[in-house]
Amino acid sequence: MTLQWTPSPPDHVPADLIVDFDFFHTPEGLTDPVQIWHDLVRRGVPPIFYTPRNGGHWVFLKYSDIVEGYRNHEIFSTYQTPIPPIEPFPVMQPQGVDPPDHNVFRKLLAPMFTPLAVRRMTEGLQHRAETMIASFADRGECDFITDYASRFPTGAFLDLFGLPEERLPEFLALSEIFFRSTDPTVRAQNLTDIYAVLEDLFREKERNPGSDIASTIVTARDENGNQHPWQDILNCGFLLFVAGLDTVTNTMAYVWRYLASTPKARAQFRERLDDPAAFQLAIEELMRINAVSNIYRRVTHDCEYKGIQFRRNDRVILSNTLANRDASVFENPQSIDLDRRVNNHLTFGVGPHRCMGSHLAKREIMVSLQEWLRQIPDFELADDQDEGAIFGGSVMGFTSLKLRW
């Protein structure tokens, strides 16, 4: 694959709406990548602006516009959205397909991620968390990213797909390139590599189906009793691969980073260990304040929105961290209130493409934190944090987070 699509010069963009902003770039000395987004608000840039960086794209800053970007698929499509652009790009099933066609695979996957289905996974998740944490609890220190946060959700993914644990390093490497690289040649090869793995996986599950998600997808039949198109099966596997790994890893990183530096919050969570409802309520607040994803959309046709001219194929970024701290929606949005009752955050999106795996993601974080606090009730940030261990992009986070206890 090669980079084939580049935007035309933005002659439809007024000069006063152009801002030089690169969401992949984190300035030297910055300790938190979300600050590049909140700095936009502090600078008073327009609530909808255009940047020529990364192929050129629009950015929405306000909650109401971001919700519109999620809901209005007639203007803001999920089809072929990557930034920087790379075409052809996999049509992720069902997230990369607009309504009503997205319902085919959404209906197939939805039963596997309901609250009840996720509760049935709890015992396995608890065992995984308990075992992993016990492996380093006596050391008195760890790199949370490499020792736990990157390994836990990826290991859970392998288990759900019926793959052996020894393939964990392979999947971690594929994920790292997919989410971090901006080199078009590297990105294209990465897609080829991921699809080669998926091809082998689904062919094996077709020959020897089990009780895992991959087997369910490949053995499913349409209304005429036929197997779904093979490319759609691969695209569904691709979605599940990219959707459930990096976002959970980096949400965990932010949650643990906050707790490591906030003794009062650690104590509040410890007090709630035997109260799942209160524990989950507090986690929802940390997921609001620590939204790590910036979601892409593509304009379907030349049109006008909020008095601004958009052209077909214009890209748009919806920043969840900005939406979740919009003062017009959240009371004291910059404050962390672990008892916040009204919490309409957009961490998992909204509308027809809201994340189906949200219940699993929450359960993974909840189980991990419960097991962590049972084995390591008090912990703090180590002094020797790695410089340059932060990154921006579609998912923001850290490559290293050193903790000690």
Side-chain angles (χ1 to χ4, degrees), residues 34-96:
V34 304
Q35 292 307 317
I36 65 173
W37 290 95
H38 296 289
D39 184 58
L40 293 170
V41 177
R42 286 191 291 269
R43 288 162 52 191
V45 305
I48 298 175
F49 71 84
Y50 184 92
T51 173
R53 299 285 185 173
N54 298 299
H57 60 84
W58 296 92
V59 177
F60 287 1
L61 302 184
K62 290 188 172 296
Y63 185 99
S64 58
D65 292 322
I66 292 169
V67 168
E68 184 71 8
Y70 276 122
R71 291 190 182 278
N72 190 347
H73 60 88
E74 293 183 354
I75 295 178
F76 305 109
S77 172
T78 63
Y79 177 77
Q80 298 284 39
T81 62
I83 300 172
I86 180 171
E87 294 188 2
F89 188 79
V91 181
M92 290 188 283
Q93 283 283 4
Q95 290 299 95

Side-chain angles (χ1 to χ4, degrees), residues 188-251:
Q189 183 59 51
N190 175 245
L191 291 177
T192 299
D193 294 342
I194 293 173
Y195 270 81
V197 169
L198 294 173
E199 175 74 27
D200 290 344
L201 166 65
F202 283 116
R203 290 300 183 191
E204 173 58 27
K205 296 300 180 181
E206 189 178 35
R207 292 188 295 268
N208 300 296
S211 57
D212 52 84
I213 289 178
S215 296
T216 299
I217 294 169
V218 80
T219 59
R221 295 295 181 262
D222 63 19
E223 65 275 8
N224 298 317
N226 299 318
Q227 186 183 56
H228 293 287
W230 191 255
Q231 190 60 49
D232 285 349
I233 290 172
L234 294 176
N235 290 343
C236 184
F238 179 74
L239 167 70
L240 294 171
F241 171 75
V242 303
L245 305 185
D246 213 44
T247 49
V248 175
T249 293
N250 289 293
T251 300

Side-chain angles (χ1 to χ4, degrees), residues 279-290:
F279 201 93
Q280 185 62 60
L281 182 71
I283 285 177
E284 287 285 354
E285 174 68 347
L286 294 190
M287 299 189 83
R288 175 192 72 86
I289 204 74
N290 294 312

Side-chain angles (χ1 to χ4, degrees), residues 13 21 30 49 135-138 151 160 214 225 248 268 356 361 373:
V13 181
F21 174 66
L30 196 70
F49 71 84
S135 70
F136 54 74
D138 291 340
R151 302 176 68 85
L160 290 172
V248 175
Q268 288 178 283
M356 283 184 297
L373 291 174

